[in-house]
Amino acid sequence: MSLLIMPARTTPRRQSFPLAEELHFDPGAVRRAVAALERQASRAHTRGLSIRVDLPGLKAADVRRALSGLPSPGDYRVLIKPLRYRTRPNLSGLCEFDLGRIIVRVPEPFRAFDELVYVRARRKPGAAMKFAWMSEKVRFRTRRDVLRFVYLHEWLHWYLREMQGKRSGAETACDRFALRNFRRRQVTVDDALQAIRGLRMLPLSDELRLAA
């Protein structure tokens, strides 16, 4: 009697797959990436601005030259309108978030004028919420001065809401930012961050975020 030796049945090994390493979320890297994008946006030349001028005697090319070196407001449009006054010229502008545009009003007819610019508020002693306002008198000699000052003021309103996600009603900070920078040749996002440093600003509500 002979025994047949059958070959041992071999079970094929399952192919092993390397486990993918779980992605690590680094908040610092995200902040650095966002800051780099903002710096890149701040270097965008104002030639890319969408400008409309409703002021006779002033062309879009003139406005673009006047705003040269200032940061761009993304896809917002810049509208230049005349400011009719009765007694004396003054500064006027508006950032319309729902329409996506910045309005800069230029006094017409134009003549040099002085304007008080409020740069800081200090609370007075006592229980009542009263403040002492500190201001500087600024001389606006040309249309270019007005265009750059008002544009920078309204641009910071845009930056606070669209880039920082904050409520944009920081009038004193916007005036201070415009005053420090409207006569400089180049202005960047870093200058804006310095102007709003230390401000206590509330984030946008969910309703405003959805509306935007």
Side-chain angles (χ1 to χ4, degrees), residues 156-197:
L156 190 58
H157 282 302
W158 168 86
Y159 180 78
L160 288 173
R161 173 158 174 164
E162 299 293 353
M163 302 302 292
Q164 295 283 316
K166 305 290 186 181
R167 295 180 184 270
S168 62
E171 291 295 330
T172 305
C174 292
D175 272 345
R176 184 167 58 247
F177 170 69
L179 178 61
R180 288 177 179 175
N181 296 289
F182 81 104
R183 288 196 173 104
R184 295 177 57 198
R185 295 183 62 182
Q186 296 288 332
V187 183
T188 67
V189 170
D190 291 336
D191 300 312
L193 294 175
Q194 182 179 1
I196 63 177
R197 185 175 301 164

Side-chain angles (χ1 to χ4, degrees), residues 141-159:
R141 298 180 176 86
T142 63
R143 284 178 171 177
R144 180 180 184 273
D145 288 345
V146 174
L147 286 169
R148 291 177 72 87
F149 186 96
V150 177
Y151 173 83
L152 283 174
H153 178 105
E154 301 303 331
W155 179 89
L156 190 58
H157 282 302
W158 168 86
Y159 180 78

